[in-house]
PDB file of all heavy atoms in Angstrom:
ATOM      1  N   GLY V   1    -186.934  26.543 -66.742  1.00  0.00           N
ATOM      2  CA  GLY V   1    -187.208  25.117 -66.920  1.00  0.00           C
ATOM      3  C   GLY V   1    -186.048  24.394 -67.583  1.00  0.00           C
ATOM      4  O   GLY V   1    -185.676  23.287 -67.177  1.00  0.00           O
ATOM      5  N   ALA V   2    -185.467  25.024 -68.595  1.00  0.00           N
ATOM      6  CA  ALA V   2    -184.318  24.415 -69.284  1.00  0.00           C
ATOM      7  C   ALA V   2    -183.117  24.338 -68.354  1.00  0.00           C
ATOM      8  O   ALA V   2    -182.408  23.328 -68.329  1.00  0.00           O
ATOM      9  CB  ALA V   2    -183.978  25.206 -70.540  1.00  0.00           C
ATOM     10  N   LEU V   3    -182.881  25.400 -67.583  1.00  0.00           N
ATOM     11  CA  LEU V   3    -181.766  25.373 -66.636  1.00  0.00           C
ATOM     12  C   LEU V   3    -181.980  24.304 -65.575  1.00  0.00           C
ATOM     13  O   LEU V   3    -181.050  23.597 -65.188  1.00  0.00           O
ATOM     14  CB  LEU V   3    -181.584  26.748 -65.988  1.00  0.00           C
ATOM     15  CG  LEU V   3    -181.114  27.856 -66.919  1.00  0.00           C
ATOM     16  CD1 LEU V   3    -181.144  29.202 -66.194  1.00  0.00           C
ATOM     17  CD2 LEU V   3    -179.731  27.562 -67.476  1.00  0.00           C
ATOM     18  N   ALA V   4    -183.218  24.152 -65.103  1.00  0.00           N
ATOM     19  CA  ALA V   4    -183.521  23.126 -64.106  1.00  0.00           C
ATOM     20  C   ALA V   4    -183.290  21.733 -64.674  1.00  0.00           C
ATOM     21  O   ALA V   4    -182.830  20.833 -63.967  1.00  0.00           O
ATOM     22  CB  ALA V   4    -184.956  23.276 -63.614  1.00  0.00           C
ATOM     23  N   ALA V   5    -183.587  21.536 -65.956  1.00  0.00           N
ATOM     24  CA  ALA V   5    -183.355  20.241 -66.583  1.00  0.00           C
ATOM     25  C   ALA V   5    -181.860  19.951 -66.687  1.00  0.00           C
ATOM     26  O   ALA V   5    -181.439  18.795 -66.594  1.00  0.00           O
ATOM     27  CB  ALA V   5    -183.997  20.192 -67.968  1.00  0.00           C
ATOM     28  N   LEU V   6    -181.051  20.993 -66.869  1.00  0.00           N
ATOM     29  CA  LEU V   6    -179.605  20.817 -66.960  1.00  0.00           C
ATOM     30  C   LEU V   6    -178.961  20.629 -65.591  1.00  0.00           C
ATOM     31  O   LEU V   6    -177.919  19.989 -65.475  1.00  0.00           O
ATOM     32  CB  LEU V   6    -178.967  22.029 -67.653  1.00  0.00           C
ATOM     33  CG  LEU V   6    -179.291  22.192 -69.133  1.00  0.00           C
ATOM     34  CD1 LEU V   6    -178.820  23.560 -69.620  1.00  0.00           C
ATOM     35  CD2 LEU V   6    -178.644  21.079 -69.939  1.00  0.00           C
ATOM     36  N   ALA V   7    -179.550  21.211 -64.557  1.00  0.00           N
ATOM     37  CA  ALA V   7    -178.975  21.137 -63.211  1.00  0.00           C
ATOM     38  C   ALA V   7    -180.009  20.507 -62.285  1.00  0.00           C
ATOM     39  O   ALA V   7    -180.121  19.300 -62.214  1.00  0.00           O
ATOM     40  CB  ALA V   7    -178.572  22.522 -62.740  1.00  0.00           C
ATOM     41  N   SER V   8    -180.756  21.334 -61.589  1.00  0.00           N
ATOM     42  CA  SER V   8    -181.861  20.873 -60.751  1.00  0.00           C
ATOM     43  C   SER V   8    -182.733  22.075 -60.421  1.00  0.00           C
ATOM     44  O   SER V   8    -182.256  23.217 -60.424  1.00  0.00           O
ATOM     45  CB  SER V   8    -181.372  20.215 -59.465  1.00  0.00           C
ATOM     46  OG  SER V   8    -180.876  21.192 -58.567  1.00  0.00           O
ATOM     47  N   VAL V   9    -183.996  21.818 -60.133  1.00  0.00           N
ATOM     48  CA  VAL V   9    -184.923  22.890 -59.796  1.00  0.00           C
ATOM     49  C   VAL V   9    -184.419  23.641 -58.566  1.00  0.00           C
ATOM     50  O   VAL V   9    -184.412  24.868 -58.520  1.00  0.00           O
ATOM     51  CB  VAL V   9    -186.343  22.343 -59.567  1.00  0.00           C
ATOM     52  CG1 VAL V   9    -187.269  23.428 -59.034  1.00  0.00           C
ATOM     53  CG2 VAL V   9    -186.898  21.759 -60.847  1.00  0.00           C
ATOM     54  N   GLY V  10    -183.970  22.902 -57.562  1.00  0.00           N
ATOM     55  CA  GLY V  10    -183.486  23.518 -56.329  1.00  0.00           C
ATOM     56  C   GLY V  10    -182.290  24.414 -56.554  1.00  0.00           C
ATOM     57  O   GLY V  10    -182.190  25.500 -55.968  1.00  0.00           O
ATOM     58  N   LEU V  11    -181.378  23.997 -57.402  1.00  0.00           N
ATOM     59  CA  LEU V  11    -180.195  24.799 -57.693  1.00  0.00           C
ATOM     60  C   LEU V  11    -180.571  26.103 -58.393  1.00  0.00           C
ATOM     61  O   LEU V  11    -180.068  27.172 -58.051  1.00  0.00           O
ATOM     62  CB  LEU V  11    -179.216  23.996 -58.553  1.00  0.00           C
ATOM     63  CG  LEU V  11    -177.901  24.671 -58.880  1.00  0.00           C
ATOM     64  CD1 LEU V  11    -177.091  24.935 -57.619  1.00  0.00           C
ATOM     65  CD2 LEU V  11    -177.113  23.801 -59.841  1.00  0.00           C
ATOM     66  N   VAL V  12    -181.498  26.023 -59.338  1.00  0.00           N
ATOM     67  CA  VAL V  12    -181.943  27.220 -60.057  1.00  0.00           C
ATOM     68  C   VAL V  12    -182.659  28.172 -59.102  1.00  0.00           C
ATOM     69  O   VAL V  12    -182.429  29.382 -59.117  1.00  0.00           O
ATOM     70  CB  VAL V  12    -182.838  26.849 -61.257  1.00  0.00           C
ATOM     71  CG1 VAL V  12    -183.450  28.086 -61.901  1.00  0.00           C
ATOM     72  CG2 VAL V  12    -182.037  26.050 -62.283  1.00  0.00           C
ATOM     73  N   ARG V  13    -183.506  27.640 -58.229  1.00  0.00           N
ATOM     74  CA  ARG V  13    -184.209  28.490 -57.256  1.00  0.00           C
ATOM     75  C   ARG V  13    -183.229  29.165 -56.305  1.00  0.00           C
ATOM     76  O   ARG V  13    -183.344  30.347 -56.005  1.00  0.00           O
ATOM     77  CB  ARG V  13    -185.220  27.664 -56.474  1.00  0.00           C
ATOM     78  CG  ARG V  13    -186.424  27.296 -57.280  1.00  0.00           C
ATOM     79  CD  ARG V  13    -187.418  26.529 -56.448  1.00  0.00           C
ATOM     80  NE  ARG V  13    -188.532  26.120 -57.274  1.00  0.00           N
ATOM     81  CZ  ARG V  13    -189.299  25.084 -57.029  1.00  0.00           C
ATOM     82  NH1 ARG V  13    -189.086  24.337 -55.960  1.00  0.00           N
ATOM     83  NH2 ARG V  13    -190.288  24.782 -57.833  1.00  0.00           N
ATOM     84  N   ARG V  14    -182.250  28.389 -55.804  1.00  0.00           N
ATOM     85  CA  ARG V  14    -181.267  28.963 -54.885  1.00  0.00           C
ATOM     86  C   ARG V  14    -180.466  30.056 -55.578  1.00  0.00           C
ATOM     87  O   ARG V  14    -180.202  31.113 -54.999  1.00  0.00           O
ATOM     88  CB  ARG V  14    -180.328  27.892 -54.361  1.00  0.00           C
ATOM     89  CG  ARG V  14    -179.289  28.482 -53.441  1.00  0.00           C
ATOM     90  CD  ARG V  14    -178.349  27.476 -52.874  1.00  0.00           C
ATOM     91  NE  ARG V  14    -177.303  28.188 -52.159  1.00  0.00           N
ATOM     92  CZ  ARG V  14    -176.149  27.667 -51.849  1.00  0.00           C
ATOM     93  NH1 ARG V  14    -175.878  26.424 -52.158  1.00  0.00           N
ATOM     94  NH2 ARG V  14    -175.254  28.363 -51.204  1.00  0.00           N
ATOM     95  N   ALA V  15    -180.066  29.830 -56.812  1.00  0.00           N
ATOM     96  CA  ALA V  15    -179.302  30.834 -57.555  1.00  0.00           C
ATOM     97  C   ALA V  15    -180.106  32.124 -57.687  1.00  0.00           C
ATOM     98  O   ALA V  15    -179.569  33.217 -57.500  1.00  0.00           O
ATOM     99  CB  ALA V  15    -178.923  30.296 -58.925  1.00  0.00           C
ATOM    100  N   GLY V  16    -181.388  32.007 -57.986  1.00  0.00           N
ATOM    101  CA  GLY V  16    -182.251  33.185 -58.091  1.00  0.00           C
ATOM    102  C   GLY V  16    -182.352  33.926 -56.772  1.00  0.00           C
ATOM    103  O   GLY V  16    -182.255  35.162 -56.727  1.00  0.00           O
ATOM    104  N   ARG V  17    -182.537  33.180 -55.677  1.00  0.00           N
ATOM    105  CA  ARG V  17    -182.616  33.811 -54.355  1.00  0.00           C
ATOM    106  C   ARG V  17    -181.295  34.482 -53.983  1.00  0.00           C
ATOM    107  O   ARG V  17    -181.281  35.572 -53.422  1.00  0.00           O
ATOM    108  CB  ARG V  17    -183.003  32.780 -53.292  1.00  0.00           C
ATOM    109  CG  ARG V  17    -184.453  32.364 -53.338  1.00  0.00           C
ATOM    110  CD  ARG V  17    -184.874  31.585 -52.098  1.00  0.00           C
ATOM    111  NE  ARG V  17    -184.008  30.453 -51.802  1.00  0.00           N
ATOM    112  CZ  ARG V  17    -184.205  29.203 -52.214  1.00  0.00           C
ATOM    113  NH1 ARG V  17    -185.255  28.913 -52.942  1.00  0.00           N
ATOM    114  NH2 ARG V  17    -183.375  28.241 -51.873  1.00  0.00           N
ATOM    115  N   ASP V  18    -180.180  33.812 -54.286  1.00  0.00           N
ATOM    116  CA  ASP V  18    -178.873  34.385 -53.971  1.00  0.00           C
ATOM    117  C   ASP V  18    -178.631  35.678 -54.737  1.00  0.00           C
ATOM    118  O   ASP V  18    -178.098  36.642 -54.190  1.00  0.00           O
ATOM    119  CB  ASP V  18    -177.753  33.383 -54.270  1.00  0.00           C
ATOM    120  CG  ASP V  18    -177.652  32.277 -53.224  1.00  0.00           C
ATOM    121  OD1 ASP V  18    -178.381  32.332 -52.207  1.00  0.00           O
ATOM    122  OD2 ASP V  18    -176.842  31.346 -53.437  1.00  0.00           O
ATOM    123  N   LEU V  19    -179.027  35.721 -56.010  1.00  0.00           N
ATOM    124  CA  LEU V  19    -178.880  36.955 -56.788  1.00  0.00           C
ATOM    125  C   LEU V  19    -179.724  38.066 -56.194  1.00  0.00           C
ATOM    126  O   LEU V  19    -179.258  39.193 -56.028  1.00  0.00           O
ATOM    127  CB  LEU V  19    -179.265  36.721 -58.249  1.00  0.00           C
ATOM    128  CG  LEU V  19    -178.192  36.117 -59.137  1.00  0.00           C
ATOM    129  CD1 LEU V  19    -178.772  35.745 -60.495  1.00  0.00           C
ATOM    130  CD2 LEU V  19    -177.019  37.064 -59.295  1.00  0.00           C
ATOM    131  N   GLU V  20    -180.981  37.753 -55.861  1.00  0.00           N
ATOM    132  CA  GLU V  20    -181.879  38.757 -55.290  1.00  0.00           C
ATOM    133  C   GLU V  20    -181.375  39.273 -53.949  1.00  0.00           C
ATOM    134  O   GLU V  20    -181.533  40.451 -53.629  1.00  0.00           O
ATOM    135  CB  GLU V  20    -183.284  38.184 -55.130  1.00  0.00           C
ATOM    136  CG  GLU V  20    -184.016  37.989 -56.433  1.00  0.00           C
ATOM    137  CD  GLU V  20    -185.364  37.314 -56.256  1.00  0.00           C
ATOM    138  OE1 GLU V  20    -185.788  37.083 -55.109  1.00  0.00           O
ATOM    139  OE2 GLU V  20    -185.988  37.010 -57.284  1.00  0.00           O
ATOM    140  N   ALA V  21    -180.757  38.394 -53.155  1.00  0.00           N
ATOM    141  CA  ALA V  21    -180.271  38.774 -51.829  1.00  0.00           C
ATOM    142  C   ALA V  21    -178.891  39.419 -51.872  1.00  0.00           C
ATOM    143  O   ALA V  21    -178.357  39.808 -50.839  1.00  0.00           O
ATOM    144  CB  ALA V  21    -180.231  37.535 -50.926  1.00  0.00           C
ATOM    145  N   GLY V  22    -178.309  39.523 -53.052  1.00  0.00           N
ATOM    146  CA  GLY V  22    -176.991  40.131 -53.172  1.00  0.00           C
ATOM    147  C   GLY V  22    -175.853  39.207 -52.782  1.00  0.00           C
ATOM    148  O   GLY V  22    -174.728  39.649 -52.588  1.00  0.00           O
ATOM    149  N   LYS V  23    -176.130  37.902 -52.640  1.00  0.00           N
ATOM    150  CA  LYS V  23    -175.092  36.943 -52.266  1.00  0.00           C
ATOM    151  C   LYS V  23    -174.230  36.536 -53.456  1.00  0.00           C
ATOM    152  O   LYS V  23    -173.181  35.933 -53.276  1.00  0.00           O
ATOM    153  CB  LYS V  23    -175.715  35.687 -51.660  1.00  0.00           C
ATOM    154  CG  LYS V  23    -176.410  35.927 -50.343  1.00  0.00           C
ATOM    155  CD  LYS V  23    -176.992  34.646 -49.813  1.00  0.00           C
ATOM    156  CE  LYS V  23    -177.715  34.854 -48.498  1.00  0.00           C
ATOM    157  NZ  LYS V  23    -178.299  33.600 -48.018  1.00  0.00           N
ATOM    158  N   ALA V  24    -174.676  36.844 -54.646  1.00  0.00           N
ATOM    159  CA  ALA V  24    -173.918  36.539 -55.860  1.00  0.00           C
ATOM    160  C   ALA V  24    -173.924  37.789 -56.729  1.00  0.00           C
ATOM    161  O   ALA V  24    -174.936  38.478 -56.818  1.00  0.00           O
ATOM    162  CB  ALA V  24    -174.542  35.370 -56.607  1.00  0.00           C
ATOM    163  N   GLN V  25    -172.788  38.083 -57.313  1.00  0.00           N
ATOM    164  CA  GLN V  25    -172.682  39.253 -58.166  1.00  0.00           C
ATOM    165  C   GLN V  25    -172.062  38.856 -59.497  1.00  0.00           C
ATOM    166  O   GLN V  25    -171.130  38.048 -59.538  1.00  0.00           O
ATOM    167  CB  GLN V  25    -171.792  40.335 -57.532  1.00  0.00           C
ATOM    168  CG  GLN V  25    -172.311  40.919 -56.250  1.00  0.00           C
ATOM    169  CD  GLN V  25    -171.971  40.070 -55.039  1.00  0.00           C
ATOM    170  OE1 GLN V  25    -170.935  39.447 -54.993  1.00  0.00           O
ATOM    171  NE2 GLN V  25    -172.866  40.038 -54.079  1.00  0.00           N
ATOM    172  N   ILE V  26    -172.576  39.445 -60.564  1.00  0.00           N
ATOM    173  CA  ILE V  26    -171.965  39.274 -61.871  1.00  0.00           C
ATOM    174  C   ILE V  26    -170.885  40.337 -61.966  1.00  0.00           C
ATOM    175  O   ILE V  26    -171.175  41.528 -61.990  1.00  0.00           O
ATOM    176  CB  ILE V  26    -173.006  39.414 -62.998  1.00  0.00           C
ATOM    177  CG1 ILE V  26    -174.081  38.331 -62.843  1.00  0.00           C
ATOM    178  CG2 ILE V  26    -172.324  39.321 -64.364  1.00  0.00           C
ATOM    179  CD1 ILE V  26    -175.270  38.492 -63.756  1.00  0.00           C
ATOM    180  N   GLU V  27    -169.633  39.908 -61.952  1.00  0.00           N
ATOM    181  CA  GLU V  27    -168.494  40.827 -61.925  1.00  0.00           C
ATOM    182  C   GLU V  27    -168.129  41.351 -63.303  1.00  0.00           C
ATOM    183  O   GLU V  27    -167.703  42.484 -63.442  1.00  0.00           O
ATOM    184  CB  GLU V  27    -167.276  40.135 -61.303  1.00  0.00           C
ATOM    185  CG  GLU V  27    -167.473  39.778 -59.847  1.00  0.00           C
ATOM    186  CD  GLU V  27    -167.465  40.995 -58.941  1.00  0.00           C
ATOM    187  OE1 GLU V  27    -166.587  41.844 -59.102  1.00  0.00           O
ATOM    188  OE2 GLU V  27    -168.352  41.082 -58.075  1.00  0.00           O
ATOM    189  N   ALA V  28    -168.229  40.505 -64.306  1.00  0.00           N
ATOM    190  CA  ALA V  28    -167.869  40.910 -65.662  1.00  0.00           C
ATOM    191  C   ALA V  28    -168.716  40.102 -66.628  1.00  0.00           C
ATOM    192  O   ALA V  28    -169.068  38.958 -66.361  1.00  0.00           O
ATOM    193  CB  ALA V  28    -166.389  40.651 -65.930  1.00  0.00           C
ATOM    194  N   ARG V  29    -169.045  40.744 -67.761  1.00  0.00           N
ATOM    195  CA  ARG V  29    -169.867  40.047 -68.745  1.00  0.00           C
ATOM    196  C   ARG V  29    -169.654  40.701 -70.097  1.00  0.00           C
ATOM    197  O   ARG V  29    -169.614  41.909 -70.211  1.00  0.00           O
ATOM    198  CB  ARG V  29    -171.317  40.117 -68.303  1.00  0.00           C
ATOM    199  CG  ARG V  29    -172.320  39.803 -69.337  1.00  0.00           C
ATOM    200  CD  ARG V  29    -173.742  39.851 -68.837  1.00  0.00           C
ATOM    201  NE  ARG V  29    -174.013  40.933 -67.915  1.00  0.00           N
ATOM    202  CZ  ARG V  29    -175.153  41.076 -67.281  1.00  0.00           C
ATOM    203  NH1 ARG V  29    -176.121  40.228 -67.465  1.00  0.00           N
ATOM    204  NH2 ARG V  29    -175.357  42.074 -66.464  1.00  0.00           N
ATOM    205  N   ASP V  30    -169.483  39.856 -71.111  1.00  0.00           N
ATOM    206  CA  ASP V  30    -169.438  40.340 -72.486  1.00  0.00           C
ATOM    207  C   ASP V  30    -170.024  39.236 -73.369  1.00  0.00           C
ATOM    208  O   ASP V  30    -170.644  38.310 -72.867  1.00  0.00           O
ATOM    209  CB  ASP V  30    -168.028  40.759 -72.916  1.00  0.00           C
ATOM    210  CG  ASP V  30    -167.021  39.632 -72.879  1.00  0.00           C
ATOM    211  OD1 ASP V  30    -167.404  38.449 -73.016  1.00  0.00           O
ATOM    212  OD2 ASP V  30    -165.827  39.920 -72.733  1.00  0.00           O
ATOM    213  N   ASP V  31    -169.839  39.328 -74.656  1.00  0.00           N
ATOM    214  CA  ASP V  31    -170.434  38.343 -75.568  1.00  0.00           C
ATOM    215  C   ASP V  31    -169.806  36.961 -75.473  1.00  0.00           C
ATOM    216  O   ASP V  31    -170.364  35.986 -75.960  1.00  0.00           O
ATOM    217  CB  ASP V  31    -170.337  38.821 -77.021  1.00  0.00           C
ATOM    218  CG  ASP V  31    -171.394  39.864 -77.343  1.00  0.00           C
ATOM    219  OD1 ASP V  31    -172.340  40.030 -76.541  1.00  0.00           O
ATOM    220  OD2 ASP V  31    -171.279  40.510 -78.395  1.00  0.00           O
ATOM    221  N   THR V  32    -168.634  36.857 -74.857  1.00  0.00           N
ATOM    222  CA  THR V  32    -167.943  35.571 -74.858  1.00  0.00           C
ATOM    223  C   THR V  32    -167.792  34.945 -73.485  1.00  0.00           C
ATOM    224  O   THR V  32    -167.508  33.755 -73.387  1.00  0.00           O
ATOM    225  CB  THR V  32    -166.539  35.707 -75.476  1.00  0.00           C
ATOM    226  OG1 THR V  32    -165.788  36.649 -74.705  1.00  0.00           O
ATOM    227  CG2 THR V  32    -166.621  36.163 -76.918  1.00  0.00           C
ATOM    228  N   ALA V  33    -167.953  35.701 -72.416  1.00  0.00           N
ATOM    229  CA  ALA V  33    -167.739  35.140 -71.083  1.00  0.00           C
ATOM    230  C   ALA V  33    -168.441  35.967 -70.015  1.00  0.00           C
ATOM    231  O   ALA V  33    -168.794  37.124 -70.234  1.00  0.00           O
ATOM    232  CB  ALA V  33    -166.253  35.072 -70.766  1.00  0.00           C
TER     233      ALA V  33
END
């Protein structure tokens, strides 16, 4: 809900679907980036 308020509901839903479908990958992640 907070992410949708910052962007849009549709964008948040698409991002979730893309992650589930493997269309987006988190390549690197740590405490700062």
Side-chain angles (χ1 to χ4, degrees):
L3 293 173
L6 292 169
S8 73
V9 172
L11 183 63
V12 173
R13 287 182 183 155
R14 178 179 173 199
R17 286 193 307 267
D18 284 355
L19 278 171
E20 288 175 6
K23 294 180 181 179
Q25 296 83 34
I26 299 171
E27 295 288 314
R29 164 178 39 186
D30 62 27
D31 282 347
T32 60

